[in-house]
Amino acid sequence: MKLFWLFLLVPIIEIGLFIQVGGLIGLWPTLAIVVLTAIVGTALMRSQGAQAWLEIQRSFGEMRDPTRPLAHGVMILVAGMLLLTPGFFTDTIGMLLLVPGIREGLMRQLASRVKVSSFQMHSATMGRNPNAPYRAGDDEGVIDGDYTVAPDDPRAPVDLPPELDDDSGGRGPGRSGWTRH
């Protein structure tokens, strides 16, 4: 329901602001301001977005928690969308989101409302060194199998076990000999 009110109120606020500003300074200056804020905001978003991306990469490289740089990146992305939306209200909110101190405060406010009850991480290499050589018995999921060396001639018939052998010798249109069709 809150989303409904947001989609209803934001356009009404924007229309009201366009009428008020347009009445004060005229049509063309109003449109110029809207276009100028979109251009300046996009440039700011690109530079701050690049910085946020570098910070995300740095946090992964240093094995740090990437939550903070990811949150900054998302807020910069939202700021860019708001700045590209024509209007004074959305431009103001977008410009405010480009201020790092405001993003920090908003992130603290949102973090105080989030409660993580548990966090678990699973990995195929959990409990052993991923750089250590593999030893049989390390995994419970080892699949054991038999193999035969294929003849040099790929067109030579394949000897199948009796349970897979049929009239065509396991070969035929679309038959590889590996499965029974």
Side-chain angles (χ1 to χ4, degrees):
M1 194 65 176
K2 289 180 183 180
L3 197 58
F4 169 76
W5 288 109
L6 182 72
F7 278 110
L8 181 69
L9 290 176
V10 169
I12 290 172
I13 292 169
E14 292 291 7
I15 291 169
L17 287 172
F18 272 125
I19 292 170
Q20 290 296 317
V21 172
L24 287 174
I25 62 174
L27 173 67
W28 295 112
T30 302
L31 292 177
I33 290 172
V34 170
V35 170
L36 186 65
T37 57
I39 291 170
V40 170
T42 303
L44 284 171
M45 183 206 53
R46 286 181 62 141
S47 67
Q48 287 193 11
Q51 289 173 354
W53 180 249
L54 289 174
E55 184 60 32
I56 291 168
Q57 288 178 329
R58 189 176 306 120
S59 69
F60 281 128
E62 296 171 359
M63 300 300 285
R64 288 184 292 124
D65 181 19
T67 305
R68 187 169 246 74
L70 281 171
H72 278 283
V74 168
M75 285 190 264
I76 290 168
L77 182 66
V78 170
M81 290 188 307
L82 289 171
L83 287 166
L84 290 175
T85 304
F88 293 106
F89 181 69
T90 54
D91 285 349
T92 303
I93 301 292
M95 287 289 191
L96 289 174
L97 280 176
L98 289 178
V99 176
I102 292 177
R103 283 197 312 261
E104 252 334 293
L106 183 60
M107 198 165 43
R108 274 194 303 271
Q109 182 71 21
L110 291 173
S112 69
R113 296 177 182 211
V114 174
K115 181 185 177 215
V116 178
S117 59
S118 71
F119 178 79
Q120 293 180 354
M121 208 168 129
H122 299 282
S123 171
T125 60
M126 188 163 255
R128 72 177 175 94
N129 183 357
N131 297 326
Y134 176 78
R135 291 183 191 87
D138 283 352
D139 269 337
E140 294 178 11
V142 174
I143 299 173
D144 191 16
D146 295 324
Y147 70 94
T148 57
V149 177
D152 291 336
D153 183 12
R155 293 174 289 163
V158 177
D159 293 332
L160 292 175
E163 64 270 8
L164 294 179
D165 200 10
D166 62 1
D167 294 338
S168 64
R171 294 284 183 158
R175 293 188 162 178
S176 66
W178 285 92
T179 58
R180 183 177 181 122
H181 296 281

mmCIF file of all heavy atoms in Angstrom, residues 145-175:
data_model
loop_
_atom_site.group_PDB
_atom_site.id
_atom_site.type_symbol
_atom_site.label_atom_id
_atom_site.label_comp_id
_atom_site.label_asym_id
_atom_site.label_seq_id
_atom_site.Cartn_x
_atom_site.Cartn_y
_atom_site.Cartn_z
ATOM 1 N N GLY A 145 34.006 -46.090 -11.123
ATOM 2 C CA GLY A 145 33.530 -46.630 -12.394
ATOM 3 C C GLY A 145 34.612 -47.431 -13.092
ATOM 4 O O GLY A 145 35.785 -47.390 -12.728
ATOM 5 N N ASP A 146 34.214 -48.204 -14.109
ATOM 6 C CA ASP A 146 35.128 -48.971 -14.943
ATOM 7 C C ASP A 146 35.179 -48.327 -16.309
ATOM 8 O O ASP A 146 34.244 -47.648 -16.730
ATOM 9 C CB ASP A 146 34.635 -50.418 -15.079
ATOM 10 C CG ASP A 146 34.650 -51.138 -13.740
ATOM 11 O OD1 ASP A 146 35.578 -50.878 -12.949
ATOM 12 O OD2 ASP A 146 33.728 -51.943 -13.493
ATOM 13 N N TYR A 147 36.272 -48.563 -17.014
ATOM 14 C CA TYR A 147 36.390 -48.023 -18.350
ATOM 15 C C TYR A 147 37.107 -49.023 -19.237
ATOM 16 O O TYR A 147 37.774 -49.937 -18.748
ATOM 17 C CB TYR A 147 37.131 -46.682 -18.352
ATOM 18 C CG TYR A 147 38.600 -46.809 -18.029
ATOM 19 C CD1 TYR A 147 39.541 -46.920 -19.046
ATOM 20 C CD2 TYR A 147 39.042 -46.814 -16.717
ATOM 21 C CE1 TYR A 147 40.883 -47.041 -18.761
ATOM 22 C CE2 TYR A 147 40.369 -46.939 -16.423
ATOM 23 C CZ TYR A 147 41.299 -47.050 -17.446
ATOM 24 O OH TYR A 147 42.624 -47.168 -17.171
ATOM 25 N N THR A 148 36.952 -48.842 -20.532
ATOM 26 C CA THR A 148 37.689 -49.631 -21.511
ATOM 27 C C THR A 148 38.313 -48.661 -22.488
ATOM 28 O O THR A 148 37.762 -47.590 -22.756
ATOM 29 C CB THR A 148 36.772 -50.611 -22.273
ATOM 30 O OG1 THR A 148 35.744 -49.871 -22.891
ATOM 31 C CG2 THR A 148 36.167 -51.642 -21.336
ATOM 32 N N VAL A 149 39.449 -49.039 -23.033
ATOM 33 C CA VAL A 149 40.135 -48.201 -23.996
ATOM 34 C C VAL A 149 39.480 -48.421 -25.352
ATOM 35 O O VAL A 149 39.329 -49.567 -25.810
ATOM 36 C CB VAL A 149 41.633 -48.537 -24.050
ATOM 37 C CG1 VAL A 149 42.338 -47.712 -25.109
ATOM 38 C CG2 VAL A 149 42.255 -48.324 -22.679
ATOM 39 N N ALA A 150 39.060 -47.358 -25.993
ATOM 40 C CA ALA A 150 38.399 -47.444 -27.285
ATOM 41 C C ALA A 150 39.432 -47.751 -28.362
ATOM 42 O O ALA A 150 40.588 -47.321 -28.265
ATOM 43 C CB ALA A 150 37.679 -46.151 -27.604
ATOM 44 N N PRO A 151 39.027 -48.487 -29.402
ATOM 45 C CA PRO A 151 39.954 -48.750 -30.508
ATOM 46 C C PRO A 151 40.296 -47.458 -31.237
ATOM 47 O O PRO A 151 39.593 -46.459 -31.128
ATOM 48 C CB PRO A 151 39.192 -49.725 -31.403
ATOM 49 C CG PRO A 151 37.762 -49.567 -31.021
ATOM 50 C CD PRO A 151 37.729 -49.086 -29.606
ATOM 51 N N ASP A 152 41.409 -47.489 -31.983
ATOM 52 C CA ASP A 152 41.848 -46.306 -32.712
ATOM 53 C C ASP A 152 40.852 -45.884 -33.774
ATOM 54 O O ASP A 152 40.727 -44.719 -34.091
ATOM 55 C CB ASP A 152 43.211 -46.552 -33.358
ATOM 56 C CG ASP A 152 44.322 -46.663 -32.312
ATOM 57 O OD1 ASP A 152 44.119 -46.104 -31.216
ATOM 58 O OD2 ASP A 152 45.351 -47.291 -32.600
ATOM 59 N N ASP A 153 40.155 -46.843 -34.373
ATOM 60 C CA ASP A 153 39.187 -46.537 -35.432
ATOM 61 C C ASP A 153 37.853 -46.177 -34.784
ATOM 62 O O ASP A 153 37.218 -47.031 -34.146
ATOM 63 C CB ASP A 153 39.027 -47.740 -36.359
ATOM 64 C CG ASP A 153 38.077 -47.457 -37.520
ATOM 65 O OD1 ASP A 153 37.733 -46.266 -37.724
ATOM 66 O OD2 ASP A 153 37.688 -48.411 -38.202
ATOM 67 N N PRO A 154 37.397 -44.911 -34.893
ATOM 68 C CA PRO A 154 36.137 -44.529 -34.235
ATOM 69 C C PRO A 154 34.927 -45.232 -34.828
ATOM 70 O O PRO A 154 33.878 -45.288 -34.204
ATOM 71 C CB PRO A 154 36.057 -43.019 -34.438
ATOM 72 C CG PRO A 154 36.956 -42.720 -35.579
ATOM 73 C CD PRO A 154 38.002 -43.799 -35.603
ATOM 74 N N ARG A 155 35.054 -45.788 -36.040
ATOM 75 C CA ARG A 155 33.915 -46.478 -36.655
ATOM 76 C C ARG A 155 33.854 -47.945 -36.276
ATOM 77 O O ARG A 155 32.929 -48.651 -36.635
ATOM 78 C CB ARG A 155 33.992 -46.343 -38.171
ATOM 79 C CG ARG A 155 33.782 -44.889 -38.621
ATOM 80 C CD ARG A 155 33.992 -44.741 -40.074
ATOM 81 N NE ARG A 155 35.443 -44.887 -40.308
ATOM 82 C CZ ARG A 155 36.011 -45.137 -41.458
ATOM 83 N NH1 ARG A 155 35.276 -45.291 -42.517
ATOM 84 N NH2 ARG A 155 37.312 -45.256 -41.583
ATOM 85 N N ALA A 156 34.856 -48.423 -35.519
ATOM 86 C CA ALA A 156 34.872 -49.830 -35.124
ATOM 87 C C ALA A 156 33.741 -50.089 -34.138
ATOM 88 O O ALA A 156 33.395 -49.232 -33.335
ATOM 89 C CB ALA A 156 36.218 -50.164 -34.494
ATOM 90 N N PRO A 157 33.130 -51.293 -34.196
ATOM 91 C CA PRO A 157 32.024 -51.592 -33.273
ATOM 92 C C PRO A 157 32.525 -51.640 -31.829
ATOM 93 O O PRO A 157 33.667 -51.987 -31.558
ATOM 94 C CB PRO A 157 31.527 -52.951 -33.733
ATOM 95 C CG PRO A 157 32.623 -53.538 -34.544
ATOM 96 C CD PRO A 157 33.418 -52.393 -35.097
ATOM 97 N N VAL A 158 31.653 -51.291 -30.932
ATOM 98 C CA VAL A 158 31.968 -51.271 -29.511
ATOM 99 C C VAL A 158 31.390 -52.525 -28.888
ATOM 100 O O VAL A 158 30.235 -52.878 -29.128
ATOM 101 C CB VAL A 158 31.367 -50.008 -28.843
ATOM 102 C CG1 VAL A 158 31.615 -50.020 -27.359
ATOM 103 C CG2 VAL A 158 31.933 -48.757 -29.482
ATOM 104 N N ASP A 159 32.195 -53.221 -28.093
ATOM 105 C CA ASP A 159 31.693 -54.388 -27.379
ATOM 106 C C ASP A 159 30.946 -53.913 -26.151
ATOM 107 O O ASP A 159 31.514 -53.272 -25.268
ATOM 108 C CB ASP A 159 32.843 -55.301 -26.953
ATOM 109 C CG ASP A 159 33.532 -55.947 -28.142
ATOM 110 O OD1 ASP A 159 32.841 -56.136 -29.167
ATOM 111 O OD2 ASP A 159 34.735 -56.240 -28.038
ATOM 112 N N LEU A 160 29.650 -54.238 -26.121
ATOM 113 C CA LEU A 160 28.816 -53.830 -24.994
ATOM 114 C C LEU A 160 28.631 -54.995 -24.042
ATOM 115 O O LEU A 160 28.659 -56.152 -24.459
ATOM 116 C CB LEU A 160 27.445 -53.375 -25.493
ATOM 117 C CG LEU A 160 27.424 -52.094 -26.305
ATOM 118 C CD1 LEU A 160 26.020 -51.841 -26.824
ATOM 119 C CD2 LEU A 160 27.887 -50.931 -25.479
ATOM 120 N N PRO A 161 28.424 -54.698 -22.769
ATOM 121 C CA PRO A 161 28.078 -55.774 -21.846
ATOM 122 C C PRO A 161 26.763 -56.416 -22.287
ATOM 123 O O PRO A 161 25.942 -55.769 -22.941
ATOM 124 C CB PRO A 161 27.919 -55.074 -20.499
ATOM 125 C CG PRO A 161 28.358 -53.675 -20.692
ATOM 126 C CD PRO A 161 28.515 -53.427 -22.140
ATOM 127 N N PRO A 162 26.527 -57.673 -21.941
ATOM 128 C CA PRO A 162 25.319 -58.370 -22.420
ATOM 129 C C PRO A 162 24.018 -57.675 -22.045
ATOM 130 O O PRO A 162 23.063 -57.713 -22.802
ATOM 131 C CB PRO A 162 25.408 -59.749 -21.747
ATOM 132 C CG PRO A 162 26.792 -59.882 -21.245
ATOM 133 C CD PRO A 162 27.391 -58.516 -21.159
ATOM 134 N N GLU A 163 23.966 -57.011 -20.894
ATOM 135 C CA GLU A 163 22.704 -56.374 -20.503
ATOM 136 C C GLU A 163 22.360 -55.165 -21.371
ATOM 137 O O GLU A 163 21.210 -54.744 -21.433
ATOM 138 C CB GLU A 163 22.712 -55.973 -19.020
ATOM 139 C CG GLU A 163 23.733 -54.929 -18.630
ATOM 140 C CD GLU A 163 25.075 -55.534 -18.217
ATOM 141 O OE1 GLU A 163 25.286 -56.750 -18.371
ATOM 142 O OE2 GLU A 163 25.911 -54.755 -17.735
ATOM 143 N N LEU A 164 23.345 -54.578 -22.048
ATOM 144 C CA LEU A 164 23.082 -53.434 -22.920
ATOM 145 C C LEU A 164 23.044 -53.817 -24.392
ATOM 146 O O LEU A 164 22.687 -53.009 -25.235
ATOM 147 C CB LEU A 164 24.152 -52.345 -22.716
ATOM 148 C CG LEU A 164 24.176 -51.659 -21.368
ATOM 149 C CD1 LEU A 164 25.304 -50.640 -21.323
ATOM 150 C CD2 LEU A 164 22.859 -50.993 -21.083
ATOM 151 N N ASP A 165 23.426 -55.037 -24.711
ATOM 152 C CA ASP A 165 23.486 -55.463 -26.104
ATOM 153 C C ASP A 165 22.072 -55.707 -26.620
ATOM 154 O O ASP A 165 21.216 -56.251 -25.929
ATOM 155 C CB ASP A 165 24.321 -56.737 -26.220
ATOM 156 C CG ASP A 165 24.812 -56.954 -27.639
ATOM 157 O OD1 ASP A 165 24.665 -56.021 -28.447
ATOM 158 O OD2 ASP A 165 25.336 -58.044 -27.907
ATOM 159 N N ASP A 166 21.799 -55.292 -27.836
ATOM 160 C CA ASP A 166 20.533 -55.574 -28.491
ATOM 161 C C ASP A 166 20.811 -55.992 -29.923
ATOM 162 O O ASP A 166 21.941 -56.251 -30.295
ATOM 163 C CB ASP A 166 19.571 -54.382 -28.415
ATOM 164 C CG ASP A 166 20.099 -53.157 -29.101
ATOM 165 O OD1 ASP A 166 21.201 -53.217 -29.666
ATOM 166 O OD2 ASP A 166 19.408 -52.119 -29.085
ATOM 167 N N ASP A 167 19.793 -56.027 -30.754
ATOM 168 C CA ASP A 167 19.934 -56.533 -32.122
ATOM 169 C C ASP A 167 20.930 -55.725 -32.942
ATOM 170 O O ASP A 167 21.612 -56.260 -33.803
ATOM 171 C CB ASP A 167 18.578 -56.519 -32.839
ATOM 172 C CG ASP A 167 17.610 -57.490 -32.198
ATOM 173 O OD1 ASP A 167 18.084 -58.431 -31.528
ATOM 174 O OD2 ASP A 167 16.393 -57.290 -32.351
ATOM 175 N N SER A 168 21.010 -54.432 -32.719
ATOM 176 C CA SER A 168 21.888 -53.602 -33.539
ATOM 177 C C SER A 168 23.287 -53.484 -32.953
ATOM 178 O O SER A 168 24.074 -52.683 -33.412
ATOM 179 C CB SER A 168 21.277 -52.205 -33.707
ATOM 180 O OG SER A 168 21.207 -51.578 -32.440
ATOM 181 N N GLY A 169 23.573 -54.259 -31.913
ATOM 182 C CA GLY A 169 24.904 -54.186 -31.321
ATOM 183 C C GLY A 169 25.126 -52.884 -30.560
ATOM 184 O O GLY A 169 26.249 -52.453 -30.381
ATOM 185 N N GLY A 170 24.023 -52.257 -30.138
ATOM 186 C CA GLY A 170 24.151 -51.005 -29.396
ATOM 187 C C GLY A 170 24.270 -49.801 -30.287
ATOM 188 O O GLY A 170 24.283 -48.679 -29.829
ATOM 189 N N ARG A 171 24.405 -50.050 -31.596
ATOM 190 C CA ARG A 171 24.545 -48.935 -32.531
ATOM 191 C C ARG A 171 23.288 -48.818 -33.361
ATOM 192 O O ARG A 171 22.576 -49.780 -33.573
ATOM 193 C CB ARG A 171 25.732 -49.146 -33.469
ATOM 194 C CG ARG A 171 27.069 -49.128 -32.802
ATOM 195 C CD ARG A 171 27.452 -47.730 -32.472
ATOM 196 N NE ARG A 171 28.789 -47.702 -31.897
ATOM 197 C CZ ARG A 171 29.519 -46.657 -31.898
ATOM 198 N NH1 ARG A 171 29.102 -45.550 -32.450
ATOM 199 N NH2 ARG A 171 30.707 -46.680 -31.344
ATOM 200 N N GLY A 172 23.048 -47.675 -33.849
ATOM 201 C CA GLY A 172 21.907 -47.400 -34.706
ATOM 202 C C GLY A 172 21.740 -45.909 -34.779
ATOM 203 O O GLY A 172 22.521 -45.162 -34.207
ATOM 204 N N PRO A 173 20.713 -45.459 -35.478
ATOM 205 C CA PRO A 173 20.522 -44.017 -35.573
ATOM 206 C C PRO A 173 20.327 -43.398 -34.192
ATOM 207 O O PRO A 173 19.439 -43.806 -33.447
ATOM 208 C CB PRO A 173 19.276 -43.866 -36.435
ATOM 209 C CG PRO A 173 19.001 -45.204 -37.021
ATOM 210 C CD PRO A 173 19.721 -46.209 -36.191
ATOM 211 N N GLY A 174 21.199 -42.486 -33.820
ATOM 212 C CA GLY A 174 21.061 -41.774 -32.549
ATOM 213 C C GLY A 174 21.542 -42.566 -31.362
ATOM 214 O O GLY A 174 21.327 -42.177 -30.221
ATOM 215 N N ARG A 175 22.159 -43.738 -31.583
ATOM 216 C CA ARG A 175 22.616 -44.543 -30.464
ATOM 217 C C ARG A 175 24.118 -44.457 -30.341
ATOM 218 O O ARG A 175 24.842 -44.733 -31.295
ATOM 219 C CB ARG A 175 22.193 -45.986 -30.642
ATOM 220 C CG ARG A 175 20.693 -46.117 -30.556
ATOM 221 C CD ARG A 175 20.318 -47.525 -30.533
ATOM 222 N NE ARG A 175 18.949 -47.599 -30.035
ATOM 223 C CZ ARG A 175 18.301 -48.716 -29.928
ATOM 224 N NH1 ARG A 175 18.871 -49.843 -30.274
ATOM 225 N NH2 ARG A 175 17.088 -48.708 -29.461
#
